[in-house]
Amino acid sequence: MFETLRESEVWADSLANEIHSRTRTINGYITPDYKIAYALSFFLASNPDFVVHSEKSFSIRPGVKVEDSFIYKVWVTINSY
């Protein structure tokens, strides 16, 4: 997990470029870092052809702090006009 929003933005920008690419090898991302999910959602929303979806899940695991138990999912579907 990144310490700053700026670090997360750099990482999310590279992910968004991969999702924006013509090959679309991936259509989403799962992360425990809310900063990456936030930045990725923002970058993907700039494409009018995408509908951006997000989900926040909670998973209790032994030995993991409650605040570290959230999982963030961001993915896109293609907008059908």
PDB file of all heavy atoms in Angstrom, residues 35-48:
ATOM      1  N   LYS A  35      -6.703   4.526  -1.723  1.00  0.00           N
ATOM      2  CA  LYS A  35      -6.164   5.620  -2.528  1.00  0.00           C
ATOM      3  C   LYS A  35      -6.020   5.200  -3.992  1.00  0.00           C
ATOM      4  O   LYS A  35      -6.289   5.989  -4.889  1.00  0.00           O
ATOM      5  CB  LYS A  35      -4.823   6.091  -1.960  1.00  0.00           C
ATOM      6  CG  LYS A  35      -4.925   6.687  -0.563  1.00  0.00           C
ATOM      7  CD  LYS A  35      -3.591   7.154  -0.011  1.00  0.00           C
ATOM      8  CE  LYS A  35      -2.564   6.087   0.201  1.00  0.00           C
ATOM      9  NZ  LYS A  35      -2.894   5.005   1.130  1.00  0.00           N
ATOM     10  N   ILE A  36      -5.622   3.968  -4.228  1.00  0.00           N
ATOM     11  CA  ILE A  36      -5.519   3.470  -5.598  1.00  0.00           C
ATOM     12  C   ILE A  36      -6.906   3.367  -6.214  1.00  0.00           C
ATOM     13  O   ILE A  36      -7.123   3.774  -7.362  1.00  0.00           O
ATOM     14  CB  ILE A  36      -4.800   2.109  -5.642  1.00  0.00           C
ATOM     15  CG1 ILE A  36      -3.343   2.270  -5.236  1.00  0.00           C
ATOM     16  CG2 ILE A  36      -4.893   1.494  -7.039  1.00  0.00           C
ATOM     17  CD1 ILE A  36      -2.592   0.964  -5.105  1.00  0.00           C
ATOM     18  N   ALA A  37      -7.868   2.837  -5.466  1.00  0.00           N
ATOM     19  CA  ALA A  37      -9.232   2.710  -5.982  1.00  0.00           C
ATOM     20  C   ALA A  37      -9.818   4.070  -6.325  1.00  0.00           C
ATOM     21  O   ALA A  37     -10.455   4.244  -7.367  1.00  0.00           O
ATOM     22  CB  ALA A  37     -10.116   1.991  -4.957  1.00  0.00           C
ATOM     23  N   TYR A  38      -9.586   5.049  -5.474  1.00  0.00           N
ATOM     24  CA  TYR A  38     -10.067   6.413  -5.700  1.00  0.00           C
ATOM     25  C   TYR A  38      -9.475   6.991  -6.980  1.00  0.00           C
ATOM     26  O   TYR A  38     -10.190   7.484  -7.861  1.00  0.00           O
ATOM     27  CB  TYR A  38      -9.716   7.278  -4.490  1.00  0.00           C
ATOM     28  CG  TYR A  38      -9.875   8.755  -4.700  1.00  0.00           C
ATOM     29  CD1 TYR A  38     -11.123   9.359  -4.584  1.00  0.00           C
ATOM     30  CD2 TYR A  38      -8.781   9.557  -5.003  1.00  0.00           C
ATOM     31  CE1 TYR A  38     -11.272  10.726  -4.782  1.00  0.00           C
ATOM     32  CE2 TYR A  38      -8.921  10.914  -5.203  1.00  0.00           C
ATOM     33  CZ  TYR A  38     -10.168  11.498  -5.093  1.00  0.00           C
ATOM     34  OH  TYR A  38     -10.310  12.840  -5.291  1.00  0.00           O
ATOM     35  N   ALA A  39      -8.159   6.931  -7.104  1.00  0.00           N
ATOM     36  CA  ALA A  39      -7.488   7.512  -8.262  1.00  0.00           C
ATOM     37  C   ALA A  39      -7.858   6.768  -9.548  1.00  0.00           C
ATOM     38  O   ALA A  39      -8.112   7.389 -10.583  1.00  0.00           O
ATOM     39  CB  ALA A  39      -5.976   7.499  -8.056  1.00  0.00           C
ATOM     40  N   LEU A  40      -7.923   5.445  -9.491  1.00  0.00           N
ATOM     41  CA  LEU A  40      -8.271   4.658 -10.667  1.00  0.00           C
ATOM     42  C   LEU A  40      -9.687   4.981 -11.133  1.00  0.00           C
ATOM     43  O   LEU A  40      -9.928   5.147 -12.332  1.00  0.00           O
ATOM     44  CB  LEU A  40      -8.124   3.168 -10.374  1.00  0.00           C
ATOM     45  CG  LEU A  40      -8.415   2.222 -11.541  1.00  0.00           C
ATOM     46  CD1 LEU A  40      -7.506   2.516 -12.724  1.00  0.00           C
ATOM     47  CD2 LEU A  40      -8.252   0.777 -11.079  1.00  0.00           C
ATOM     48  N   SER A  41     -10.617   5.104 -10.206  1.00  0.00           N
ATOM     49  CA  SER A  41     -11.997   5.467 -10.572  1.00  0.00           C
ATOM     50  C   SER A  41     -12.025   6.809 -11.287  1.00  0.00           C
ATOM     51  O   SER A  41     -12.721   6.981 -12.292  1.00  0.00           O
ATOM     52  CB  SER A  41     -12.883   5.542  -9.326  1.00  0.00           C
ATOM     53  OG  SER A  41     -12.973   4.288  -8.710  1.00  0.00           O
ATOM     54  N   PHE A  42     -11.281   7.757 -10.777  1.00  0.00           N
ATOM     55  CA  PHE A  42     -11.217   9.089 -11.371  1.00  0.00           C
ATOM     56  C   PHE A  42     -10.654   9.027 -12.792  1.00  0.00           C
ATOM     57  O   PHE A  42     -11.223   9.605 -13.721  1.00  0.00           O
ATOM     58  CB  PHE A  42     -10.362  10.001 -10.491  1.00  0.00           C
ATOM     59  CG  PHE A  42     -10.202  11.382 -11.030  1.00  0.00           C
ATOM     60  CD1 PHE A  42     -11.201  12.331 -10.861  1.00  0.00           C
ATOM     61  CD2 PHE A  42      -9.051  11.743 -11.713  1.00  0.00           C
ATOM     62  CE1 PHE A  42     -11.057  13.617 -11.374  1.00  0.00           C
ATOM     63  CE2 PHE A  42      -8.897  13.025 -12.219  1.00  0.00           C
ATOM     64  CZ  PHE A  42      -9.903  13.959 -12.056  1.00  0.00           C
ATOM     65  N   PHE A  43      -9.535   8.332 -12.984  1.00  0.00           N
ATOM     66  CA  PHE A  43      -8.924   8.240 -14.307  1.00  0.00           C
ATOM     67  C   PHE A  43      -9.843   7.542 -15.303  1.00  0.00           C
ATOM     68  O   PHE A  43      -9.972   7.968 -16.454  1.00  0.00           O
ATOM     69  CB  PHE A  43      -7.579   7.515 -14.251  1.00  0.00           C
ATOM     70  CG  PHE A  43      -6.478   8.314 -13.618  1.00  0.00           C
ATOM     71  CD1 PHE A  43      -5.695   7.763 -12.615  1.00  0.00           C
ATOM     72  CD2 PHE A  43      -6.197   9.604 -14.021  1.00  0.00           C
ATOM     73  CE1 PHE A  43      -4.673   8.493 -12.025  1.00  0.00           C
ATOM     74  CE2 PHE A  43      -5.180  10.349 -13.444  1.00  0.00           C
ATOM     75  CZ  PHE A  43      -4.422   9.785 -12.442  1.00  0.00           C
ATOM     76  N   LEU A  44     -10.493   6.456 -14.888  1.00  0.00           N
ATOM     77  CA  LEU A  44     -11.362   5.716 -15.799  1.00  0.00           C
ATOM     78  C   LEU A  44     -12.615   6.503 -16.165  1.00  0.00           C
ATOM     79  O   LEU A  44     -13.130   6.386 -17.273  1.00  0.00           O
ATOM     80  CB  LEU A  44     -11.745   4.367 -15.179  1.00  0.00           C
ATOM     81  CG  LEU A  44     -10.594   3.378 -14.996  1.00  0.00           C
ATOM     82  CD1 LEU A  44     -11.079   2.140 -14.262  1.00  0.00           C
ATOM     83  CD2 LEU A  44      -9.981   3.016 -16.335  1.00  0.00           C
ATOM     84  N   ALA A  45     -13.102   7.320 -15.242  1.00  0.00           N
ATOM     85  CA  ALA A  45     -14.311   8.103 -15.497  1.00  0.00           C
ATOM     86  C   ALA A  45     -14.095   9.163 -16.573  1.00  0.00           C
ATOM     87  O   ALA A  45     -15.067   9.709 -17.108  1.00  0.00           O
ATOM     88  CB  ALA A  45     -14.794   8.750 -14.208  1.00  0.00           C
ATOM     89  N   SER A  46     -12.851   9.457 -16.912  1.00  0.00           N
ATOM     90  CA  SER A  46     -12.584  10.445 -17.957  1.00  0.00           C
ATOM     91  C   SER A  46     -12.893   9.909 -19.349  1.00  0.00           C
ATOM     92  O   SER A  46     -12.926  10.668 -20.309  1.00  0.00           O
ATOM     93  CB  SER A  46     -11.133  10.920 -17.882  1.00  0.00           C
ATOM     94  OG  SER A  46     -10.261   9.862 -18.235  1.00  0.00           O
ATOM     95  N   ASN A  47     -13.123   8.608 -19.484  1.00  0.00           N
ATOM     96  CA  ASN A  47     -13.449   8.007 -20.776  1.00  0.00           C
ATOM     97  C   ASN A  47     -14.971   7.871 -20.883  1.00  0.00           C
ATOM     98  O   ASN A  47     -15.579   7.102 -20.145  1.00  0.00           O
ATOM     99  CB  ASN A  47     -12.790   6.634 -20.897  1.00  0.00           C
ATOM    100  CG  ASN A  47     -12.990   6.014 -22.252  1.00  0.00           C
ATOM    101  OD1 ASN A  47     -13.968   6.283 -22.947  1.00  0.00           O
ATOM    102  ND2 ASN A  47     -12.067   5.161 -22.642  1.00  0.00           N
ATOM    103  N   PRO A  48     -15.608   8.605 -21.819  1.00  0.00           N
ATOM    104  CA  PRO A  48     -17.068   8.554 -21.924  1.00  0.00           C
ATOM    105  C   PRO A  48     -17.608   7.202 -22.382  1.00  0.00           C
ATOM    106  O   PRO A  48     -18.812   6.938 -22.243  1.00  0.00           O
ATOM    107  CB  PRO A  48     -17.395   9.651 -22.944  1.00  0.00           C
ATOM    108  CG  PRO A  48     -16.141   9.834 -23.723  1.00  0.00           C
ATOM    109  CD  PRO A  48     -15.011   9.506 -22.799  1.00  0.00           C
TER     110      PRO A  48
END
